[in-house]
Amino acid sequence: QQQVKQSPQSLIVQKGGISIINCAYENTAFDYFPWYQQFPGKGPALLIAIRPDVSEKKEGRFTISFNKSAKQFSLHIMDSQPGDSATYFCAASKDDKIIFGKGTRLHILP
Amino acid sequence: SQTIHQWPATLVQPVGSPLSLECTVEGTSNPNLYWYRQAAGRGLQLLFYSVGIGQISSEVPQNLSASRPQDRQFILSSKKLLLSDSGFYLCAWSAIKEKLFFGSGTQLSVL
Protein backbone atom coordinates (compact mmCIF):
# COMPACT_ATOMS: atom_id res chain seq x y z
CA GLN A 1 0.00 0.00 0.00
CA GLN A 2 1.57 3.21 -1.18
CA GLN A 3 0.63 6.00 1.19
CA VAL A 4 2.51 8.75 -0.64
CA LYS A 5 2.42 8.80 -4.44
CA GLN A 6 5.00 10.93 -6.25
CA SER A 7 5.25 11.93 -9.90
CA PRO A 8 6.93 12.15 -12.29
CA GLN A 9 9.55 9.45 -11.82
CA SER A 10 12.05 11.51 -13.80
CA LEU A 11 12.13 15.07 -15.09
CA ILE A 12 14.34 17.02 -17.46
CA VAL A 13 14.23 20.82 -17.36
CA GLN A 14 16.20 23.49 -19.15
CA LYS A 15 18.39 25.78 -17.08
CA GLY A 16 16.33 28.72 -15.91
CA GLY A 17 13.06 26.82 -16.20
CA ILE A 18 10.58 25.77 -13.53
CA SER A 19 10.74 22.24 -12.15
CA ILE A 20 7.49 20.87 -10.72
CA ILE A 21 7.16 17.65 -8.75
CA ASN A 22 3.83 16.43 -7.44
CA CYS A 23 2.78 14.25 -4.53
CA ALA A 24 -0.50 12.89 -3.24
CA TYR A 25 -1.26 11.29 0.09
CA GLU A 26 -4.05 9.13 1.43
CA ASN A 27 -3.97 9.40 5.20
CA THR A 28 -5.60 12.60 6.42
CA ALA A 29 -3.87 12.12 9.77
CA PHE A 30 -0.54 13.19 8.27
CA ASP A 31 0.41 16.55 9.73
CA TYR A 32 3.78 17.41 8.24
CA PHE A 33 4.96 17.31 4.63
CA PRO A 34 8.70 17.66 3.96
CA TRP A 35 10.74 17.48 0.79
CA TYR A 36 14.19 15.91 0.79
CA GLN A 37 16.98 16.30 -1.74
CA GLN A 38 19.47 13.53 -2.42
CA PHE A 39 22.70 13.66 -4.41
CA PRO A 40 24.28 10.43 -5.73
CA GLY A 41 25.96 8.34 -3.06
CA LYS A 42 24.66 10.52 -0.24
CA GLY A 43 21.82 10.36 2.22
CA PRO A 44 18.83 12.65 1.64
CA ALA A 45 18.76 16.07 3.29
CA LEU A 46 15.76 18.14 4.31
CA LEU A 47 15.05 20.85 1.74
CA ILE A 48 11.77 22.47 2.75
CA ALA A 49 8.62 21.46 4.63
CA ILE A 50 5.04 22.54 5.17
CA ARG A 51 2.19 21.93 7.60
CA PRO A 52 -1.42 21.46 6.39
CA ASP A 53 -2.63 24.73 7.87
CA VAL A 54 -0.61 26.65 5.28
CA SER A 55 -1.26 26.62 1.52
CA GLU A 56 2.17 27.74 0.40
CA LYS A 57 5.69 28.04 1.73
CA LYS A 58 8.61 29.63 -0.07
CA GLU A 59 12.31 29.44 0.70
CA GLY A 60 14.49 31.06 -1.91
CA ARG A 61 13.87 29.36 -5.25
CA PHE A 62 11.94 26.51 -3.65
CA THR A 63 8.18 26.66 -3.05
CA ILE A 64 5.75 24.09 -1.68
CA SER A 65 2.12 24.39 -2.69
CA PHE A 66 -0.34 22.49 -0.53
CA ASN A 67 -3.96 21.56 -1.32
CA LYS A 68 -5.51 19.99 1.76
CA SER A 69 -8.89 19.20 0.18
CA ALA A 70 -7.25 17.38 -2.73
CA LYS A 71 -4.64 15.77 -0.46
CA GLN A 72 -1.92 16.93 -2.80
CA PHE A 73 1.25 18.97 -2.51
CA SER A 74 3.94 19.96 -4.93
CA LEU A 75 7.47 21.32 -5.08
CA HIS A 76 8.31 24.13 -7.47
CA ILE A 77 11.92 25.00 -8.22
CA MET A 78 12.16 28.38 -9.89
CA ASP A 79 15.09 29.35 -12.13
CA SER A 80 16.33 25.74 -12.06
CA GLN A 81 20.11 25.34 -12.10
CA PRO A 82 22.39 22.41 -13.02
CA GLY A 83 23.31 22.16 -9.32
CA ASP A 84 19.68 21.31 -8.60
CA SER A 85 20.09 18.02 -10.46
CA ALA A 86 19.34 15.40 -7.82
CA THR A 87 16.66 13.02 -6.63
CA TYR A 88 13.80 14.63 -4.75
CA PHE A 89 11.56 12.85 -2.29
CA CYS A 90 8.31 14.06 -0.86
CA ALA A 91 7.25 12.67 2.49
CA ALA A 92 4.40 12.73 4.95
CA SER A 93 4.57 12.18 8.66
CA LYS A 94 2.40 11.59 11.69
CA ASP A 95 3.97 11.26 15.14
CA ASP A 96 7.25 9.39 14.71
CA LYS A 97 6.48 7.70 11.43
CA ILE A 98 7.76 9.29 8.21
CA ILE A 99 6.70 7.84 4.86
CA PHE A 100 8.46 8.78 1.63
CA GLY A 101 7.37 8.83 -1.98
CA LYS A 102 9.32 6.91 -4.61
CA GLY A 103 11.38 9.89 -5.66
CA THR A 104 11.88 12.01 -8.76
CA ARG A 105 15.18 12.14 -10.58
CA LEU A 106 15.59 15.72 -11.76
CA HIS A 107 18.11 16.66 -14.43
CA ILE A 108 18.69 20.30 -15.32
CA LEU A 109 20.18 20.82 -18.75
CA PRO A 110 22.96 23.44 -18.87
CA SER B 1 27.08 19.20 17.03
CA GLN B 2 25.28 16.01 16.18
CA THR B 3 26.75 13.41 13.85
CA ILE B 4 25.58 10.06 12.59
CA HIS B 5 27.93 7.23 11.71
CA GLN B 6 26.94 4.34 9.52
CA TRP B 7 29.16 1.50 8.39
CA PRO B 8 30.28 -0.16 6.31
CA ALA B 9 29.88 2.01 3.22
CA THR B 10 29.75 -0.97 0.88
CA LEU B 11 29.17 -4.65 1.51
CA VAL B 12 29.05 -7.68 -0.74
CA GLN B 13 27.54 -10.77 0.83
CA PRO B 14 26.57 -14.21 -0.50
CA VAL B 15 22.97 -15.39 -0.35
CA GLY B 16 22.27 -17.10 2.94
CA SER B 17 24.95 -15.27 4.91
CA PRO B 18 24.18 -13.15 8.00
CA LEU B 19 24.10 -9.38 8.08
CA SER B 20 24.86 -6.75 10.66
CA LEU B 21 24.79 -3.03 9.88
CA GLU B 22 25.51 -0.58 12.64
CA CYS B 23 24.52 3.02 13.11
CA THR B 24 25.50 5.35 15.94
CA VAL B 25 24.57 8.92 16.70
CA GLU B 26 26.67 11.42 18.63
CA GLY B 27 25.79 14.71 20.25
CA THR B 28 22.18 14.06 21.16
CA SER B 29 20.17 12.04 23.66
CA ASN B 30 17.14 9.81 23.15
CA PRO B 31 16.86 10.34 19.42
CA ASN B 32 14.33 8.60 17.25
CA LEU B 33 16.21 6.18 15.02
CA TYR B 34 15.21 4.83 11.62
CA TRP B 35 16.31 2.27 9.05
CA TYR B 36 15.30 2.89 5.44
CA ARG B 37 16.08 0.90 2.32
CA GLN B 38 16.43 2.51 -1.06
CA ALA B 39 16.01 0.21 -4.05
CA ALA B 40 15.82 1.27 -7.66
CA GLY B 41 12.32 2.44 -8.52
CA ARG B 42 11.02 1.95 -5.00
CA GLY B 43 12.13 5.10 -3.29
CA LEU B 44 12.83 5.20 0.43
CA GLN B 45 11.14 2.32 2.18
CA LEU B 46 10.78 2.57 5.96
CA LEU B 47 11.95 -0.68 7.51
CA PHE B 48 12.16 0.00 11.26
CA TYR B 49 11.97 2.90 13.65
CA SER B 50 12.69 3.22 17.33
CA VAL B 51 11.64 5.83 19.87
CA GLY B 52 13.73 4.39 22.70
CA ILE B 53 15.98 1.58 23.88
CA GLY B 54 14.42 -1.78 23.16
CA GLN B 55 11.44 -0.20 21.37
CA ILE B 56 11.32 -1.26 17.73
CA SER B 57 8.49 -0.78 15.26
CA SER B 58 8.58 -2.86 12.10
CA GLU B 59 6.96 -1.57 8.95
CA VAL B 60 7.61 -4.22 6.33
CA PRO B 61 7.42 -8.03 6.66
CA GLN B 62 10.85 -9.36 5.78
CA ASN B 63 13.75 -11.43 7.00
CA LEU B 64 15.40 -8.41 8.56
CA SER B 65 15.37 -7.37 12.20
CA ALA B 66 16.51 -4.35 14.15
CA SER B 67 17.75 -3.80 17.66
CA ARG B 68 18.58 -0.81 19.81
CA PRO B 69 20.89 -2.01 22.55
CA GLN B 70 21.95 1.50 23.56
CA ASP B 71 20.33 4.93 23.36
CA ARG B 72 22.29 6.05 20.32
CA GLN B 73 22.96 2.71 18.61
CA PHE B 74 20.73 1.07 16.03
CA ILE B 75 21.56 -2.26 14.41
CA LEU B 76 20.02 -3.89 11.35
CA SER B 77 20.45 -7.65 11.12
CA SER B 78 19.56 -10.70 9.14
CA LYS B 79 20.23 -14.36 9.80
CA LYS B 80 20.11 -15.32 6.12
CA LEU B 81 20.31 -12.78 3.32
CA LEU B 82 18.17 -13.04 0.20
CA LEU B 83 18.92 -11.64 -3.23
CA SER B 84 16.04 -9.23 -2.73
CA ASP B 85 17.80 -7.72 0.28
CA SER B 86 20.20 -5.89 -2.02
CA GLY B 87 19.89 -2.13 -1.84
CA PHE B 88 21.09 1.08 -0.30
CA TYR B 89 20.44 1.08 3.44
CA LEU B 90 20.13 4.38 5.23
CA CYS B 91 20.09 5.05 8.93
CA ALA B 92 18.55 8.29 10.16
CA TRP B 93 17.86 10.05 13.42
CA SER B 94 15.55 12.81 14.54
CA ALA B 95 15.17 14.93 17.65
CA ILE B 96 12.40 17.19 16.43
CA LYS B 97 10.09 14.48 15.18
CA GLU B 98 9.81 15.56 11.59
CA LYS B 99 13.37 16.48 10.62
CA LEU B 100 15.44 13.48 9.71
CA PHE B 101 19.22 13.47 9.52
CA PHE B 102 20.51 10.66 7.34
CA GLY B 103 23.77 8.78 7.45
CA SER B 104 25.87 8.25 4.36
CA GLY B 105 24.35 4.83 3.69
CA THR B 106 25.49 1.26 3.08
CA GLN B 107 25.35 -0.20 -0.41
CA LEU B 108 24.58 -3.89 0.09
CA SER B 109 24.95 -6.34 -2.77
CA VAL B 110 23.74 -9.87 -2.18
CA LEU B 111 25.16 -12.29 -4.74
Side-chain angles (χ1 to χ4, degrees):
Chain A
Q1 180 183 2
Q2 189 179 353
Q3 297 190 50
V4 180
K5 295 182 179 180
Q6 183 172 347
S7 63
Q9 189 173 11
S10 62
L11 181 63
I12 299 174
V13 176
Q14 291 280 352
K15 178 182 176 182
I18 303 174
S19 303
I20 302 174
I21 304 171
N22 301 299
C23 280
Y25 63 97
E26 298 174 357
N27 188 347
T28 56
F30 288 136
D31 58 5
Y32 184 75
F33 301 89
W35 285 88
Y36 282 76
Q37 180 188 55
Q38 183 184 31
F39 293 104
K42 305 292 184 181
L46 180 64
L47 184 64
I48 187 173
I50 197 168
R51 297 192 183 278
D53 55 345
V54 177
S55 62
E56 184 176 283
K57 183 173 182 179
K58 184 176 181 180
E59 290 184 1
R61 296 184 294 108
F62 300 91
T63 300
I64 299 178
S65 297
F66 188 85
N67 186 329
K68 187 175 181 178
S69 61
K71 294 189 289 185
Q72 296 175 346
F73 58 110
S74 60
L75 176 69
H76 292 63
I77 306 175
M78 310 300 288
D79 187 27
S80 299
Q81 299 297 312
D84 297 330
S85 296
T87 299
Y88 293 80
F89 294 94
C90 63
S93 76
K94 173 63 179 175
D95 297 325
D96 301 297
K97 187 173 173 179
I98 304 168
I99 304 298
F100 286 83
K102 290 190 174 183
T104 297
R105 296 186 66 175
L106 173 65
H107 182 64
I108 307 300
L109 297 174
Chain B
S1 63
Q2 301 90 357
T3 56
I4 179 169
H5 302 281
Q6 187 180 345
W7 66 92
T10 59
L11 190 60
V12 180
Q13 292 284 99
V15 170
S17 64
L19 173 74
S20 181
L21 300 181
E22 188 167 343
C23 172
T24 60
V25 180
E26 296 179 356
T28 187
S29 296
N30 196 31
N32 288 350
L33 296 172
Y34 302 81
W35 279 110
Y36 285 88
R37 178 170 59 200
Q38 186 172 13
R42 298 196 63 185
L44 285 167
Q45 184 183 32
L46 177 61
L47 301 176
F48 302 94
Y49 68 99
S50 171
V51 299
I53 296 175
Q55 300 178 60
I56 309 294
S57 296
S58 175
E59 289 299 304
V60 181
Q62 61 219 332
N63 69 323
L64 300 171
S65 62
S67 62
R68 185 171 178 173
Q70 301 181 41
D71 180 45
R72 291 170 289 175
Q73 184 184 29
F74 206 24
I75 298 173
L76 183 69
S77 304
S78 174
K79 292 182 179 179
K80 288 186 177 181
L81 283 169
L82 306 172
L83 286 174
S84 58
D85 292 324
S86 294
F88 190 49
Y89 287 81
L90 288 157
C91 179
W93 72 274
S94 70
I96 301 172
K97 66 175 186 180
E98 298 96 351
K99 186 170 183 178
L100 288 176
F101 297 90
F102 284 88
S104 53
T106 296
Q107 184 64 53
L108 172 65
S109 298
V110 182
L111 304 177

